[in-house]
Amino acid sequence: MRDGGTIHLNAFADGLRPDPDLSVTEWADQWRMLPKKSSSEPGKYRSSRTPYVREIMDALSPSSGIQDVVVMKATQLGFTEVGNNWFGYVADASPGPMMMIFPTSELAKDHSKQKLQPTIQETPRLKDKVKEHRTRDSGNTIQTKEFPGGILFLSGSNSSAFFRSKSIRFLFLDDIDGFEADIGGEGDPAELAKRRTDTYGKRKKILEVSTPTIKGISRIERSFLESDQRYFHVPCPFCGTYQRLEWGGEGADFGLKFTRDPAGKVMEAWYECAHCHRRIDEHHKTDMLERGRWIPTFPERLKRGYQLSSLYSPLGWV
């Protein structure tokens, strides 16, 4: 039986091998299975369900020169699966040391048991590569997943000791607005984790994802503002003009519109195009999302940033 240090050193060495041309999106569409235990739509993964994640996943592919990716988004838009797709790709196609960090150790363990392990068991490309959890095997516990040429560590932001003495090539920071502000007087856990990727230089990949909390204090907002600030533009099904979906607000001649009954209950809801002012209904959204594209505000910036509201939630999702 090998100890954790030996496993990590071997993973670091194997992570220096040339990377495949296959993208994360291509891998997920071809091989990923959504588990019955934790998915509302189990079965074969389809990026066509959430087309806005494709560019983000492709930026995480080794063939992309992007190193830092930040996503500021609403809840329930499918970004947990982006992290799981990325792990599957790393384990199967581009092995190396990877770390996933969540606000607490309990959330990290829950993700491992409720999301990751079922994904491994139901995705044939992973089942034969990622060993089953055995408590006596230090390479395979709830918080470590060993695979040929690499290893995944899962940790909470409240566990600073877990960050030490580890060189990480692929880093996923999930829900960073929920992270501890400081751990043990050592500083911001997100920044401490990022330093673990320095060894890999330009070959590292960092993904930060979160729903924002308080304006001006939010970690994800600060990180997004440092990025090229990309927004997803979709075409009107009538005039074809590309636009961001925005709430609009009271009195606006575009955005989300609705009618209420005398008791104040919403009866109908639709979106009004900012250009032709035609009514866009929910059933139009699938085609609009498929034809959508990310447009950067500051294309000269190297850091990729994506912002997405719940108005982009796919048909059938709330």
Side-chain angles (χ1 to χ4, degrees), residues 98-307:
M98 184 175 188
M99 181 176 283
M100 291 182 169
I101 302 180
F102 301 84
T104 66
S105 296
E106 286 67 32
L107 287 173
K109 292 174 183 177
D110 285 345
H111 184 83
S112 178
K113 291 184 287 187
Q114 301 298 324
K115 299 280 188 180
L116 215 53
Q117 193 56 40
T119 290
I120 293 168
Q121 290 302 306
E122 296 189 32
T123 302
R125 295 284 292 192
L126 299 178
K127 187 174 182 180
D128 294 336
K129 291 189 175 183
V130 185
K131 297 179 181 178
E132 293 186 20
H133 164 56
R134 296 195 301 269
T135 55
R136 292 187 179 183
D137 187 339
S138 61
N140 291 278
T141 67
I142 293 174
Q143 291 184 264
T144 59
K145 302 294 179 186
E146 181 189 359
F147 45 89
I151 189 169
L152 169 69
F153 300 101
L154 297 102
S155 176
S157 70
N158 55 348
S159 180
S160 61
F162 206 79
F163 302 164
R164 299 192 189 102
S165 303
K166 291 181 174 68
S167 294
I168 301 299
R169 183 182 178 189
F170 306 109
L171 177 63
F172 177 36
L173 304 171
D174 192 31
D175 195 16
I176 64 170
D177 270 21
F179 280 23
E180 295 286 334
D182 180 272
I183 45 175
E186 297 184 39
D188 185 337
E191 294 304 316
L192 292 175
K194 289 177 185 179
R195 292 176 198 165
R196 300 290 89 207
T197 66
D198 289 346
T199 307
Y200 279 92
K202 293 182 178 181
R203 301 181 74 231
K204 69 182 180 182
K205 295 282 184 181
I206 300 173
L207 172 62
E208 302 173 65
V209 176
S210 189
T211 300
T213 49
I214 303 173
K215 187 175 180 62
I217 299 176
S218 166
R219 272 193 184 92
I220 199 70
E221 179 197 37
R222 182 170 62 249
S223 190
F224 176 74
L225 292 176
E226 295 170 350
S227 74
D228 64 359
Q229 298 180 33
R230 296 181 176 231
Y231 296 92
F232 201 61
H233 289 64
V234 293
C236 170
F238 303 105
C239 69
T241 304
Y242 275 80
Q243 58 199 284
R244 285 172 55 186
L245 296 183
E246 301 180 80
W247 294 101
E250 187 175 354
D253 62 354
F254 71 95
L256 190 67
K257 304 292 181 180
F258 49 86
T259 59
R260 298 180 184 271
D261 66 12
K265 181 180 178 181
V266 173
M267 301 298 293
E268 279 190 297
W270 67 94
Y271 191 89
E272 184 173 322
C273 174
H275 298 271
C276 71
H277 304 292
R278 293 280 296 275
R279 171 177 171 147
I280 302 172
D281 288 307
E282 186 79 3
H283 69 84
H284 291 115
K285 191 184 289 186
T286 299
D287 182 62
M288 292 169 68
L289 291 178
E290 185 62 40
R291 296 166 59 198
R293 58 193 181 208
W294 289 101
I295 299 178
T297 308
F298 303 100
E300 71 279 4
R301 296 182 184 176
L302 297 179
K303 186 176 186 177
R304 283 282 182 91
Y306 300 88
Q307 188 271 350

Side-chain angles (χ1 to χ4, degrees), residues 82-94:
V82 169
N84 292 333
N85 289 341
W86 191 23
F87 160 71
Y89 175 87
V90 169
D92 184 42
S94 183

